[in-house]
PDB file of all heavy atoms in Angstrom:
ATOM      1  N   ALA A 215     176.579  -4.484  82.439  1.00  0.00           N
ATOM      2  CA  ALA A 215     177.150  -5.746  81.958  1.00  0.00           C
ATOM      3  C   ALA A 215     176.085  -6.815  81.714  1.00  0.00           C
ATOM      4  O   ALA A 215     176.262  -7.682  80.848  1.00  0.00           O
ATOM      5  CB  ALA A 215     178.186  -6.257  82.951  1.00  0.00           C
ATOM      6  N   ASP A 216     174.976  -6.763  82.445  1.00  0.00           N
ATOM      7  CA  ASP A 216     173.963  -7.820  82.331  1.00  0.00           C
ATOM      8  C   ASP A 216     172.736  -7.376  81.546  1.00  0.00           C
ATOM      9  O   ASP A 216     171.689  -8.011  81.612  1.00  0.00           O
ATOM     10  CB  ASP A 216     173.538  -8.283  83.726  1.00  0.00           C
ATOM     11  CG  ASP A 216     172.966  -7.152  84.567  1.00  0.00           C
ATOM     12  OD1 ASP A 216     173.132  -5.977  84.169  1.00  0.00           O
ATOM     13  OD2 ASP A 216     172.366  -7.435  85.618  1.00  0.00           O
ATOM     14  N   LEU A 217     172.853  -6.284  80.776  1.00  0.00           N
ATOM     15  CA  LEU A 217     171.721  -5.784  80.012  1.00  0.00           C
ATOM     16  C   LEU A 217     172.068  -5.756  78.526  1.00  0.00           C
ATOM     17  O   LEU A 217     173.139  -5.279  78.133  1.00  0.00           O
ATOM     18  CB  LEU A 217     171.350  -4.372  80.482  1.00  0.00           C
ATOM     19  CG  LEU A 217     170.123  -3.730  79.829  1.00  0.00           C
ATOM     20  CD1 LEU A 217     168.858  -4.526  80.138  1.00  0.00           C
ATOM     21  CD2 LEU A 217     169.969  -2.289  80.303  1.00  0.00           C
ATOM     22  N   TYR A 218     171.155  -6.276  77.707  1.00  0.00           N
ATOM     23  CA  TYR A 218     171.398  -6.355  76.270  1.00  0.00           C
ATOM     24  C   TYR A 218     170.202  -5.776  75.516  1.00  0.00           C
ATOM     25  O   TYR A 218     169.057  -5.911  75.951  1.00  0.00           O
ATOM     26  CB  TYR A 218     171.606  -7.813  75.836  1.00  0.00           C
ATOM     27  CG  TYR A 218     172.775  -8.483  76.498  1.00  0.00           C
ATOM     28  CD1 TYR A 218     172.608  -9.159  77.712  1.00  0.00           C
ATOM     29  CD2 TYR A 218     174.049  -8.437  75.936  1.00  0.00           C
ATOM     30  CE1 TYR A 218     173.686  -9.776  78.336  1.00  0.00           C
ATOM     31  CE2 TYR A 218     175.120  -9.051  76.556  1.00  0.00           C
ATOM     32  CZ  TYR A 218     174.940  -9.719  77.752  1.00  0.00           C
ATOM     33  OH  TYR A 218     176.012 -10.321  78.370  1.00  0.00           O
ATOM     34  N   LEU A 219     170.491  -5.154  74.390  1.00  0.00           N
ATOM     35  CA  LEU A 219     169.435  -4.717  73.495  1.00  0.00           C
ATOM     36  C   LEU A 219     169.083  -5.840  72.531  1.00  0.00           C
ATOM     37  O   LEU A 219     169.957  -6.608  72.125  1.00  0.00           O
ATOM     38  CB  LEU A 219     169.870  -3.490  72.689  1.00  0.00           C
ATOM     39  CG  LEU A 219     170.200  -2.217  73.473  1.00  0.00           C
ATOM     40  CD1 LEU A 219     170.639  -1.113  72.516  1.00  0.00           C
ATOM     41  CD2 LEU A 219     169.024  -1.761  74.324  1.00  0.00           C
ATOM     42  N   GLY A 220     167.814  -5.923  72.170  1.00  0.00           N
ATOM     43  CA  GLY A 220     167.422  -6.754  71.048  1.00  0.00           C
ATOM     44  C   GLY A 220     167.241  -5.843  69.840  1.00  0.00           C
ATOM     45  O   GLY A 220     167.910  -4.811  69.723  1.00  0.00           O
ATOM     46  N   GLU A 221     166.347  -6.195  68.941  1.00  0.00           N
ATOM     47  CA  GLU A 221     166.031  -5.269  67.864  1.00  0.00           C
ATOM     48  C   GLU A 221     165.580  -3.954  68.493  1.00  0.00           C
ATOM     49  O   GLU A 221     164.642  -3.932  69.291  1.00  0.00           O
ATOM     50  CB  GLU A 221     164.929  -5.843  66.978  1.00  0.00           C
ATOM     51  CG  GLU A 221     165.352  -7.052  66.183  1.00  0.00           C
ATOM     52  CD  GLU A 221     164.299  -7.499  65.185  1.00  0.00           C
ATOM     53  OE1 GLU A 221     163.129  -7.059  65.309  1.00  0.00           O
ATOM     54  OE2 GLU A 221     164.635  -8.302  64.297  1.00  0.00           O
ATOM     55  N   THR A 222     166.242  -2.861  68.146  1.00  0.00           N
ATOM     56  CA  THR A 222     165.865  -1.583  68.738  1.00  0.00           C
ATOM     57  C   THR A 222     164.833  -0.922  67.831  1.00  0.00           C
ATOM     58  O   THR A 222     165.156  -0.368  66.789  1.00  0.00           O
ATOM     59  CB  THR A 222     167.084  -0.672  68.960  1.00  0.00           C
ATOM     60  OG1 THR A 222     167.853  -0.589  67.769  1.00  0.00           O
ATOM     61  CG2 THR A 222     167.954  -1.225  70.065  1.00  0.00           C
ATOM     62  N   ALA A 223     163.590  -1.007  68.284  1.00  0.00           N
ATOM     63  CA  ALA A 223     162.470  -0.522  67.478  1.00  0.00           C
ATOM     64  C   ALA A 223     162.297   0.984  67.585  1.00  0.00           C
ATOM     65  O   ALA A 223     161.778   1.609  66.666  1.00  0.00           O
ATOM     66  CB  ALA A 223     161.186  -1.228  67.906  1.00  0.00           C
ATOM     67  N   GLY A 224     162.713   1.591  68.717  1.00  0.00           N
ATOM     68  CA  GLY A 224     162.430   2.999  68.894  1.00  0.00           C
ATOM     69  C   GLY A 224     163.471   3.734  69.694  1.00  0.00           C
ATOM     70  O   GLY A 224     164.184   3.146  70.523  1.00  0.00           O
ATOM     71  N   VAL A 225     163.541   5.056  69.461  1.00  0.00           N
ATOM     72  CA  VAL A 225     164.426   5.932  70.227  1.00  0.00           C
ATOM     73  C   VAL A 225     163.781   7.313  70.285  1.00  0.00           C
ATOM     74  O   VAL A 225     163.180   7.779  69.318  1.00  0.00           O
ATOM     75  CB  VAL A 225     165.846   5.994  69.622  1.00  0.00           C
ATOM     76  CG1 VAL A 225     165.821   6.561  68.208  1.00  0.00           C
ATOM     77  CG2 VAL A 225     166.798   6.774  70.508  1.00  0.00           C
ATOM     78  N   ALA A 226     163.894   7.958  71.452  1.00  0.00           N
ATOM     79  CA  ALA A 226     163.349   9.301  71.636  1.00  0.00           C
ATOM     80  C   ALA A 226     164.236  10.050  72.615  1.00  0.00           C
ATOM     81  O   ALA A 226     164.997   9.440  73.385  1.00  0.00           O
ATOM     82  CB  ALA A 226     161.911   9.236  72.151  1.00  0.00           C
ATOM     83  N   VAL A 227     164.139  11.379  72.604  1.00  0.00           N
ATOM     84  CA  VAL A 227     164.962  12.227  73.466  1.00  0.00           C
ATOM     85  C   VAL A 227     164.061  13.257  74.132  1.00  0.00           C
ATOM     86  O   VAL A 227     163.202  13.854  73.469  1.00  0.00           O
ATOM     87  CB  VAL A 227     166.074  12.937  72.651  1.00  0.00           C
ATOM     88  CG1 VAL A 227     166.907  13.838  73.550  1.00  0.00           C
ATOM     89  CG2 VAL A 227     166.957  11.912  71.954  1.00  0.00           C
ATOM     90  N   ASN A 228     164.233  13.472  75.457  1.00  0.00           N
ATOM     91  CA  ASN A 228     163.401  14.464  76.146  1.00  0.00           C
ATOM     92  C   ASN A 228     164.116  15.804  76.254  1.00  0.00           C
ATOM     93  O   ASN A 228     165.212  15.995  75.698  1.00  0.00           O
ATOM     94  CB  ASN A 228     162.946  13.934  77.511  1.00  0.00           C
ATOM     95  CG  ASN A 228     164.062  13.864  78.543  1.00  0.00           C
ATOM     96  OD1 ASN A 228     165.199  14.290  78.307  1.00  0.00           O
ATOM     97  ND2 ASN A 228     163.744  13.342  79.723  1.00  0.00           N
ATOM     98  N   SER A 229     163.519  16.748  76.974  1.00  0.00           N
ATOM     99  CA  SER A 229     164.057  18.108  77.050  1.00  0.00           C
ATOM    100  C   SER A 229     165.387  18.173  77.785  1.00  0.00           C
ATOM    101  O   SER A 229     166.138  19.143  77.623  1.00  0.00           O
ATOM    102  CB  SER A 229     163.045  19.027  77.739  1.00  0.00           C
ATOM    103  OG  SER A 229     162.842  18.640  79.094  1.00  0.00           O
ATOM    104  N   LYS A 230     165.707  17.178  78.595  1.00  0.00           N
ATOM    105  CA  LYS A 230     166.982  17.122  79.321  1.00  0.00           C
ATOM    106  C   LYS A 230     168.070  16.408  78.526  1.00  0.00           C
ATOM    107  O   LYS A 230     169.194  16.281  79.003  1.00  0.00           O
ATOM    108  CB  LYS A 230     166.787  16.415  80.662  1.00  0.00           C
ATOM    109  CG  LYS A 230     165.793  17.084  81.593  1.00  0.00           C
ATOM    110  CD  LYS A 230     165.604  16.260  82.861  1.00  0.00           C
ATOM    111  CE  LYS A 230     164.577  16.911  83.801  1.00  0.00           C
ATOM    112  NZ  LYS A 230     164.347  16.083  85.019  1.00  0.00           N
ATOM    113  N   GLY A 231     167.731  15.943  77.334  1.00  0.00           N
ATOM    114  CA  GLY A 231     168.677  15.175  76.541  1.00  0.00           C
ATOM    115  C   GLY A 231     168.720  13.705  76.898  1.00  0.00           C
ATOM    116  O   GLY A 231     169.563  12.965  76.366  1.00  0.00           O
TER     117      GLY A 231
END
Side-chain angles (χ1 to χ4, degrees):
D216 59 347
L217 183 63
Y218 300 90
L219 298 179
E221 292 187 344
T222 50
V225 62
V227 179
N228 72 5
S229 65
K230 300 176 181 178

